[in-house]
Amino acid sequence: MNKSQLLLSCLALSLSLTCAPVLAAAPSDTVTVQVGQSIVPTPPGIHLANGQVMVPIRWAAEQLGARSIQWDEATQTVTITTNEAYYQKLKLDSFVYNGLQPRSAEREAQMWPLPEKAKSISLPQFPRRELQLNPEVPNSGRGMTITINNSPSLIYNAETINDHIYVPMDWIEALFKTEVQYDQAANKLTIKALNQAEIEQQIKTIEDALIPDSPQAAMKLWGRGEQTRSAALQYAALSPELRKQADARLRDTFWVTGFSSPWVGAITVEAEQQRSDTAVEYTVSFPEITSAGQPYTTAMEKFVVEKLTVDGKEGWYITEMLQGSPYGILAEED
């Protein structure tokens, strides 16, 4: 058995495994570790490998508030359930990176425009660096899987030391949607824990700025959310009752909707029916555009927009989804 095969056969998560250590940690000096605003005890075995700090996955998950951590030896899978802050960060990212980001001029010409007031929203700035996740994939070995809230990631550069699994710091950032930095001069690793209250306030600020001031604005907010695959933008167009119905489904979509291909093309309003002074019914259609250049099919949606007062603020919201499509967060008659 070669070293790679031995490594994969002995992966463990500090559970009831008894195989011997495969790799030995060799840090030259103790790495200082900061999580959030606090310096914390450096976990045993933390070390440098290929320019990255190798971090024990169980320790990192616990530091970042995970609700549960499980290891399946048969499938070589770590399964982690995070706290609520993780889901809220996904929603915020759906706004920041999908819904509110302008596209190319060609793409924007096919999309509902962002509301003018949306352009003045001060979006939170998150440092985005290029992560080195699997720089060297071995010729043999299946790697291991780390699943976060039912979202699996295949990792080839994990290590096992004394029955503990270590992953590169870039994987901690990618898996937990947080910020991780290493200061080589100070030999200091910094992990920014997610602040749920801060994230929720940022989301509220965005949603308040997006309150549709007309039935057309609600329709277009929903449509742009489908065109950008932003569940958060679609969510902002819904009434409180429909938001409740969408909440459970969004746990499985990670605040991303539709497909990379086909995607939602230019939206056409097929019918606009005035139901009352405070309610309008819309029927819209759009081509399903494929990257392969195949003939387009057409999708249809029908929904009702009503004028409501929510939390003391007046706006127009979708209150009924009469005919849904796979590109939205609501199904037909949801």
Side-chain angles (χ1 to χ4, degrees):
M1 180 181 291
N2 62 34
K3 185 176 181 181
S4 296
Q5 291 171 325
L6 183 60
L7 171 62
L8 291 172
S9 68
C10 294
L11 284 174
L13 194 61
S14 190
L15 298 176
S16 58
L17 302 183
T18 58
C19 55
V22 177
L23 299 174
S28 55
D29 296 296
T30 301
V31 178
T32 300
V33 179
Q34 178 175 328
V35 179
Q37 301 300 316
S38 303
I39 300 296
V40 300
T42 303
I46 195 169
H47 64 287
L48 299 179
N50 299 318
Q52 292 201 50
V53 179
M54 300 297 291
V55 181
I57 186 64
R58 173 178 284 278
W59 172 87
E62 290 173 345
Q63 291 291 318
L64 295 172
R67 292 175 175 171
S68 69
I69 309 160
Q70 298 178 334
W71 165 251
D72 186 326
E73 182 180 6
T75 62
Q76 299 287 288
T77 299
V78 180
T79 302
I80 299 172
T81 302
T82 66
N83 56 19
E84 183 63 24
Y86 176 89
Y87 287 103
Q88 295 302 315
K89 180 59 162 58
L90 291 179
K91 180 179 180 180
L92 183 58
D93 287 350
S94 179
F95 274 127
V96 174
Y97 299 125
N98 287 21
L100 298 177
Q101 285 295 330
R103 302 307 202 269
S104 66
E106 180 182 0
R107 189 73 187 274
E108 285 288 346
Q110 299 178 352
M111 298 168 62
W112 287 129
L114 276 169
E116 282 301 317
K117 57 184 179 181
K119 299 175 183 178
S120 63
I121 297 174
S122 180
L123 297 175
Q125 299 297 312
F126 304 122
R128 301 196 78 179
R129 59 188 181 86
E130 185 175 353
L131 301 180
Q132 300 297 320
L133 299 179
N134 283 317
E136 295 181 6
V137 178
N139 294 326
S140 61
R142 61 179 177 174
M144 65 174 296
T145 300
I146 295 184
T147 298
I148 304 285
N149 301 328
N150 299 319
S151 178
S153 297
L154 184 60
I155 300 178
Y156 288 100
N157 49 358
E159 297 178 356
T160 297
I161 302 171
N162 296 329
D163 294 345
H164 292 263
I165 295 173
Y166 291 72
V167 299
M169 54 180 271
D170 282 9
W171 270 113
I172 300 300
E173 178 163 328
L175 292 168
F176 294 97
K177 310 303 179 187
T178 187
E179 297 171 30
V180 181
Q181 296 179 334
Y182 175 62
D183 184 333
Q184 186 174 10
N187 197 24
K188 180 180 180 181
L189 177 71
T190 302
I191 301 174
K192 182 179 179 181
L194 297 178
N195 185 321
Q196 183 175 338
E198 178 181 293
I199 293 170
E200 289 178 345
Q201 182 56 52
Q202 291 169 329
I203 290 172
K204 185 178 185 305
T205 298
I206 294 171
E207 289 181 337
D208 285 349
L210 290 174
I211 293 175
D213 55 12
S214 69
Q216 294 83 4
M219 173 189 65
K220 291 182 177 181
L221 186 63
W222 170 264
R224 185 177 179 89
E226 292 183 311
Q227 291 169 322
T228 59
R229 303 185 65 203
S230 170
L233 215 58
Q234 297 171 44
Y235 193 85
L238 298 180
S239 68
E241 286 303 313
L242 288 189
R243 290 183 183 186
K244 290 178 184 178
Q245 294 178 33
D247 280 334
R249 184 173 302 161
L250 290 170
R251 296 280 170 171
D252 297 324
T253 66
F254 301 94
W255 292 92
V256 178
T257 60
F259 320 96
S260 56
S261 179
W263 61 85
V264 177
I267 299 174
T268 300
V269 178
E270 300 289 349
E272 180 178 357
Q273 179 185 349
Q274 192 78 34
R275 284 191 167 190
S276 70
D277 290 342
T278 58
V280 181
E281 179 181 306
Y282 287 100
T283 301
V284 301
S285 66
F286 49 83
E288 299 177 81
I289 303 176
T290 67
S291 56
Q294 298 299 317
Y296 301 158
T297 55
T298 300
M300 301 283 293
E301 291 184 336
K302 182 183 292 186
F303 47 84
V304 177
V305 178
E306 294 187 61
K307 190 175 186 179
L308 303 175
T309 299
V310 179
D311 296 331
K313 299 180 178 67
E314 192 175 84
W316 290 81
Y317 300 90
I318 296 175
T319 57
E320 294 181 70
M321 183 59 62
L322 304 175
Q323 179 180 343
S325 79
Y327 301 93
I329 58 176
L330 293 175
E332 184 176 351
E333 298 180 351
D334 210 347

